[in-house]
Amino acid sequence: MPLRLDIMAMNPPGFPGARIARAASRAGFVGSVCTEHGDADAALLAVRTIARTGLSYGIALTELTREWLQVIETLRGSGPSHFLVCDPNYERLPESIHALRRIQSQFGPGVQKSLVMVQATTLEEAVAAVQAGCDAIVVKGCEAGGRVGEETAFIQLQRVVSRVNLPVWVRGGVGLHSAAACLAGGAMGVVLDWQVALCRESELPQEVKNRIARMDANETAVLGQEFGGRYRLLARPDESGFAELKALEEKLSADDSIKADTIRAWKDAVEQ
């Protein structure tokens, strides 16, 4: 069991910004810029902004795409200390990690290689990530937003630490008391995103902050059980997007002739 729990703090997905990562790094924690579901230009600006500070930082991204690898090549001495790959294509993941290592090998012996962390929503994904050559696993529980699995973060933690000989972090359902439970369960660290949405450094629009401040933890629901991919989304009565996606899911699941590309289009709509 680790002697201390590391804490990674980053902006909520969909709202790229550098201020939370910068504040976390200055405070001695792990600061990351989350680029998931965010505007590409805004995400790139946030990364370049924190890269200029000279602070240690990381990037959470959906995949290690060719475009991101090209960006990483330009960072060199101000490159990230870690990457969190949140929704990788496991067939391409070994190649992507190898490409990242090849790029970093060109930076010279004085540049520390970045830690590659891969997010997993199941034990099977965690094992696949280890086989692909990652350095650490982030288990994401069903309490979190976006793509999730069926189990809570703490249950996943217990499954993964017993099978994986790498550091394991936890994302989803992390608070003061559950963080202590994660430490006791063998976690190396925890990941905070929406938990810091209302902090002073948060760059969320004020309208979004106001809505979050009024939440009572009952405004989310899960879609996608019928399609083999679960997504936790905001499900307030005034959210027309959720109702439309749910109706489409019910329509598609009732039609056995629906093709895989149609389901993929539905998943793309959810992730947007």
Side-chain angles (χ1 to χ4, degrees):
M1 184 174 65
L3 298 179
R4 65 184 295 271
L5 192 71
D6 288 326
I7 300 174
M8 180 188 299
M10 59 189 180
N11 54 283
F15 299 92
R19 289 176 57 185
I20 289 177
R22 183 173 57 199
S25 184
R26 284 177 173 168
F29 301 109
V30 182
S32 294
V33 173
C34 181
T35 68
E36 284 185 281
H37 313 305
D39 175 78
D41 290 337
L44 183 57
L45 175 61
V47 169
R48 295 202 182 283
T49 297
I50 196 168
R52 289 194 295 267
T53 66
L55 295 168
S56 175
Y57 71 98
I59 306 175
L61 35 74
T62 304
E63 286 191 67
L64 273 172
T65 61
R66 180 179 302 174
E67 291 75 16
W68 271 113
L69 289 171
Q70 290 173 346
V71 170
I72 294 164
E73 282 190 277
T74 69
L75 296 173
R76 292 190 175 268
S78 59
S81 64
H82 61 277
F83 295 92
L84 171 54
V85 187
C86 298
D87 191 9
N89 180 313
Y90 284 95
E91 292 183 358
R92 295 199 299 262
L93 185 58
E95 178 184 348
S96 298
I97 293 177
H98 180 71
L100 174 64
R101 297 304 189 208
R102 186 172 62 250
I103 290 171
Q104 293 182 321
S105 69
Q106 301 169 2
F107 292 173
V111 179
Q112 185 175 359
K113 302 301 184 292
S114 301
L115 188 73
V116 179
M117 312 169 76
V118 176
Q119 186 168 273
T121 62
T122 64
L123 174 60
E124 292 74 20
E125 289 182 357
V127 171
V130 173
Q131 294 173 345
C134 72
D135 302 306
I137 299 294
V138 175
V139 294
K140 185 180 183 185
C142 62
E143 311 96 328
R147 191 178 73 87
V148 296
E150 296 184 3
E151 297 178 326
T152 66
F154 193 66
I155 294 297
Q156 282 197 63
L157 170 64
Q158 294 176 83
R159 292 191 191 281
V160 173
V161 295
S162 66
R163 291 281 304 276
V164 170
N165 191 27
L166 287 177
V168 179
W169 293 56
V170 177
R171 184 180 185 184
V174 177
L176 290 175
H177 302 296
S178 57
C182 291
L183 177 62
M188 177 66 68
V190 295
V191 179
L192 308 180
D193 45 31
W194 287 102
Q195 294 94 329
V196 293
L198 299 182
C199 70
R200 182 179 60 186
E201 293 82 4
S202 173
E203 297 174 76
L204 291 180
Q206 190 59 48
E207 178 185 356
V208 177
K209 288 184 177 181
N210 293 341
R211 298 186 68 176
I212 293 173
R214 295 193 296 267
M215 289 183 176
D216 62 5
N218 294 312
E219 289 91 349
T220 66
V222 175
L223 291 178
Q225 292 96 326
E226 301 293 335
F227 300 149
R230 297 162 56 90
Y231 294 82
R232 181 170 295 281
L233 305 173
L234 186 65
R236 291 168 58 93
D238 58 345
E239 285 291 332
S240 59
F242 180 88
E244 293 171 1
L245 289 167
K246 182 175 178 60
L248 180 57
E249 177 185 358
E250 292 172 348
K251 177 181 178 181
L252 294 177
S253 61
D255 188 346
D256 294 336
S257 66
I258 295 298
K259 297 181 179 180
D261 57 349
T262 303
I263 295 176
R264 179 67 257 176
W266 176 88
K267 290 182 178 179
D268 289 342
V270 171
E271 292 174 357
Q272 291 175 2

